[in-house]
Amino acid sequence: MSENGAIIRLEHVHKVYHTGEVDVHAGRDVALQIHRGEFVALMGASGSGKSTMMNTLGCLDRPTEGRYLLDGLDVSQLDRDELATIRNEKIGFVFQGFNLLSRTSALENVELPMMYVRKSASSRAQRERAMHALATVGLAERAGHHPNQLSGGQQQRVAIARALVNEPAVILADEPTGNLDTQTSIEIMGVFQKLNDAGITIVMVTHELDIASYTRRNIIMRDGRVVSDLPVADRLVATEELAKLRAAQEAVQLVP
């Protein structure tokens, strides 16, 4: 179990990359807690350290110093195989580029993470879980479609379903709306808000202020440090923003 309800706990985390004769300090004494059920945006300019922090949170990289506790487990010193297991069982990833397998159906893409779980369920149970995940993101009727038969927004919904299927402790989303138009971006943020309302913990990297406004808390990094960590004051609600956008579109169409 996590300490004090914190699903993510960073204690004095430093990350130094050695590039030739130069040491790059991508993380400097980062102390951070994210609690179960939060929806957090991690922000910052290029070189701020936010990508390094996401790699650390996703167990893709280890801190140079400090501790990282994920759901109460200190993952800082785990070996490569142990980290791979943690990534698959505790973390769901959503990427800007969707990262779907082009020659497999939406359902098969969603099933994929279950193939790497130590205690694998039966094929029937896996299919049922994958269908449930697709239904959760509103794509059950597209289960048999391949990625090239889906819009960008639908592909990202498949990717979110894939992230959900192993019931992870946290979903990490890296610029999930970066390849999408405005309306589709709002729709995807609506999916995330729905999941978060159901209690799912989400950490999202974004450089877009409007997208960050759909989360509940904004953490801003600069030069490897957390320089701001505040709740979102005027939070946007995706269903309301979609209604405004569609009303504006209709108004334009009515103009002679």
Side-chain angles (χ1 to χ4, degrees), residues 11 28 51 79 89 104 112 117 125 131 137 161 166 198 205-206 224 227 247:
E11 299 177 350
R28 300 172 185 265
S51 295
D79 64 29
E89 296 182 356
T104 59
L112 191 61
V117 175
M131 281 299 299
V137 300
N166 278 340
V205 165
T206 182
V227 295

Side-chain angles (χ1 to χ4, degrees), residues 124-218:
R124 180 178 177 181
Q126 288 184 3
R127 184 135 298 200
E128 288 175 351
R129 283 174 59 179
M131 281 299 299
H132 176 72
L134 281 171
T136 299
V137 300
L139 271 189
E141 76 285 356
R142 298 286 183 135
H145 288 63
H146 286 64
N148 64 0
Q149 298 172 306
L150 302 172
S151 68
Q154 289 170 336
Q155 289 184 61
Q156 193 60 290
R157 286 172 186 260
V158 173
I160 295 169
R162 181 184 57 193
L164 285 171
V165 77
N166 278 340
E167 299 178 349
V170 60
I171 288 179
L172 299 181
D174 191 0
E175 301 279 5
T177 61
N179 286 347
L180 304 175
D181 61 37
T182 299
Q183 179 170 326
T184 308
S185 294
I186 298 172
E187 290 170 355
I188 291 300
M189 294 315 298
V191 173
F192 281 126
Q193 287 187 331
K194 175 185 173 184
L195 296 176
N196 181 241
D197 289 345
I200 293 172
T201 309
I202 304 168
V203 180
M204 178 181 69
V205 165
T206 182
H207 67 277
E208 300 173 88
L209 286 171
D210 57 334
I211 293 298
S213 297
Y214 289 94
T215 70
R216 298 181 184 273
R217 175 182 169 197
N218 288 178

Side-chain angles (χ1 to χ4, degrees), residues 3-147:
E3 299 180 25
N4 302 321
I7 202 86
I8 287 171
R9 185 183 183 94
L10 299 178
E11 299 177 350
H12 305 293
V13 165
H14 294 256
K15 183 62 186 179
V16 181
Y17 293 103
H18 304 287
T19 56
E21 298 180 358
V22 179
D23 287 347
V24 178
H25 293 264
R28 300 172 185 265
D29 196 26
V30 177
L32 183 66
Q33 290 190 50
I34 295 173
H35 290 83
R36 196 178 301 276
E38 285 202 272
F39 187 4
V40 178
L42 186 59
M43 307 179 71
S46 178
S48 64
K50 67 180 186 299
S51 295
T52 296
M53 198 53 50
M54 184 62 99
N55 287 341
T56 300
L57 297 180
C59 296
L60 297 166
D61 207 351
R62 297 185 187 88
T64 306
E65 294 180 38
R67 290 207 308 163
Y68 170 29
L69 289 90
L70 175 62
D71 204 17
L73 174 67
D74 186 353
V75 301
S76 310
Q77 305 302 321
L78 298 183
D79 64 29
R80 183 179 297 179
D81 290 341
E82 290 169 330
L83 285 174
T85 298
I86 292 296
R87 281 197 300 272
N88 199 52
E89 296 182 356
K90 293 279 188 182
I91 303 167
F93 292 94
V94 180
F95 302 98
Q96 177 176 341
F98 318 140
N99 289 14
L100 301 178
L101 298 179
S102 60
R103 296 186 179 182
T104 59
S105 68
L107 182 63
E108 290 165 332
N109 269 284
V110 175
E111 287 178 316
L112 191 61
M114 292 185 283
M115 296 173 61
Y116 301 97
V117 175
R118 286 174 295 182
K119 296 179 180 179
S120 184
S122 68
S123 296
R124 180 178 177 181
Q126 288 184 3
R127 184 135 298 200
E128 288 175 351
R129 283 174 59 179
M131 281 299 299
H132 176 72
L134 281 171
T136 299
V137 300
L139 271 189
E141 76 285 356
R142 298 286 183 135
H145 288 63
H146 286 64

